[in-house]
Amino acid sequence: MNIFEKIVAGKAQCNKVLENDDYLAFYDIAPKARVHILAIPKVCVKDLQSASPDVLKGLCEFTKEVAQTVGLDKTGYRVLTNIGEDANQEVPYLHFHILGGENLKALGF
Ligand code: 5GP
């Protein structure tokens, strides 16, 4: 079980932002921006490349709701997802990084 599977199963803690039946959003443990949230489907999919259109569509809609929940829809934000080795994907579980809360120009992404 990877760490995000444990979080979904309630076996590891997270600082939750938003949840519905199919998706969960929580704050990144090592934030790379003033606001750094991770949004995931509750069903484990390895990455965007292996995700179904339905899962991706739902994750995009959920991401918009997360942004509205914390006010990032008003100030702007960035969505990023790492896929595989060259992207240095650390957790093999599809997740969108939602970054904002400050101007992102200076960040090393
Ligand atoms: P990746 O490199 O796979 O795209 O990003 C994985 C992200 O998960 C990193 O930003 C990292 O800080 C975050 N992360 C790793 N372990 C945990 C954890 O236990 N809890 C939370 N909230 N975030 C984590």
Side-chain angles (χ1 to χ4, degrees):
M1 243 187 189
N2 65 52
I3 183 62
F4 294 171
E5 287 177 286
K6 286 182 185 164
I7 286 172
V8 168
K11 292 178 177 160
Q13 290 193 333
C14 71
N15 190 357
K16 195 189 299 179
V17 177
L18 191 67
E19 180 176 18
N20 66 23
D21 286 348
D22 300 317
Y23 298 92
L24 174 67
F26 51 91
Y27 287 101
D28 195 292
I29 204 168
K32 316 290 188 302
R34 204 164 287 154
V35 179
H36 186 173
I37 296 166
L38 302 173
I40 64 172
K42 287 188 176 175
V43 172
C44 180
V45 182
K46 190 179 64 163
D47 58 22
L48 178 143
Q49 199 64 37
S50 46
S52 72
D54 279 353
V55 166
L56 291 175
K57 181 172 182 285
L59 187 56
C60 285
E61 290 297 334
F62 183 68
T63 296
K64 287 161 60 178
E65 285 177 39
V66 171
Q68 282 165 10
T69 300
V70 297
L72 289 180
D73 59 319
K74 295 183 182 67
T75 50
Y77 62 101
R78 181 173 296 159
V79 177
L80 179 153
T81 191
N82 291 316
I83 301 152
E85 202 176 324
D86 280 357
N88 299 305
Q89 182 180 359
E90 180 191 324
V91 181
Y93 189 129
L94 170 65
H95 52 285
F96 281 2
H97 295 260
I98 303 169
L99 299 146
E102 63 181 313
N103 191 289
L104 300 175
K105 198 187 284 183
L107 297 184
F109 282 104

